[in-house]
């Protein structure tokens, strides 16, 4: 496993950080975002979408559960399971998307689908730094995903 810690001090910096990671996607990656509400998971996802070259608008899919952002080569599937109690159907959708070699999957509030998420994923944990717009990002992934964090 690899671990990296990076701090940002503005939402723009968080987006830029995510854009550099999104630009490295090859297809097939799974990203799990962990933080409290307002931590910056959706902001980070906005950067990932721009990193794959998508111009689609990224917003919190809390009430729709999943959204898709497209670029020429890849599709970014953005799931948000906040307060979802029954994962049945959506876990199925998640499972299907993970078979698509050109799809990248980003999941907020993944607890309810933890057992369908592969071990080979990038976990991004975001902690607020008190009294600031600061955020501490902890990235962790198995070695085979190290290309996502190069120079980070
Ligand atoms: P989540 O999806 O985790 O609930 P959001 O990305 O929707 O979080 O919201 C994060 C909020 O925190 C936004 O209003 C954003 O402007 C603000 N914010 C302040 N500082 C940062 C930062 N460094 N990184 C990301 N978001 C930040
Ligand atoms: Mg969110």
């Amino acid at each position: 496993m690899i671990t990296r810690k990076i701090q940002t001090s503005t939402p723009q910096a968080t987006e830029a950080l995510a854009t550099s990671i999104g630009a490295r996607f090859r297809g097939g990656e799974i990203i799990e975002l962990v933080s409290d509400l307002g931590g910056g998971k959706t902001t980070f996802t906005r950067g990932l979408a721009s990193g794959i070259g998508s111009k689609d608008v990224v917003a919190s899919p809390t009430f729709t559960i999943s959204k898709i952002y497209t670029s020429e080569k890849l599709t970014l599937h953005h799931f948000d399971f906040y307060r979802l109690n029954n994962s049945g159907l959506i876990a199925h959708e998640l499972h299907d998307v993970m078979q698509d070699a050109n799809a990248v999957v980003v999941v907020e509030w993944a607890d309810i689908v933890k057992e369908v998420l592969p071990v080979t994923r990038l976990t991004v944990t975001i902690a607020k730094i008190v009294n600031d717009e600061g955020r501490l990002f902890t990235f962790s992934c198995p070695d085979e995903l190290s290309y996502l964090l190069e120079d980070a």
Side-chain angles (χ1 to χ4, degrees), residues 13-140:
T14 289
E15 258 190 70
L17 171 64
T19 298
S20 70
I21 291 170
R24 299 181 176 131
F25 286 149
R26 298 167 178 174
E29 291 88 354
I30 317 289
I31 317 298
E32 176 194 9
L33 301 179
V34 182
S35 79
D36 292 340
L37 205 59
K41 300 182 294 299
T42 300
T43 303
F44 188 83
T45 303
R46 191 167 294 126
L48 294 178
S50 99
I52 68 164
S54 177
K55 297 189 167 61
D56 295 337
V57 174
V58 175
S60 171
T62 293
F63 299 105
T64 53
I65 301 178
S66 77
K67 287 193 168 180
I68 302 173
Y69 316 116
T70 57
S71 70
E72 255 173 51
K73 282 172 61 183
L74 299 172
T75 58
L76 184 65
H77 293 253
H78 181 195
F79 291 88
D80 186 329
F81 297 123
Y82 185 59
R83 288 189 173 154
L84 187 73
N85 297 312
N86 185 339
S87 70
L89 263 181
I90 205 77
H92 229 86
E93 182 184 333
L94 182 60
H95 180 84
D96 285 352
V97 169
M98 289 191 300
Q99 313 305 310
D100 179 349
N102 293 318
V104 178
V105 174
V106 180
V107 187
E108 301 187 36
W109 305 103
D111 286 358
I112 199 165
V113 293
K114 213 69 167 206
E115 68 284 358
V116 276
L117 284 189
V119 177
T120 304
R121 65 180 186 266
L122 174 67
T123 300
V124 183
T125 305
I126 312 168
K128 284 190 189 179
I129 299 169
V130 185
N131 293 333
D132 210 343
E133 284 198 310
R135 299 289 189 277
L136 175 64
F137 286 79
T138 304
F139 298 93
S140 115

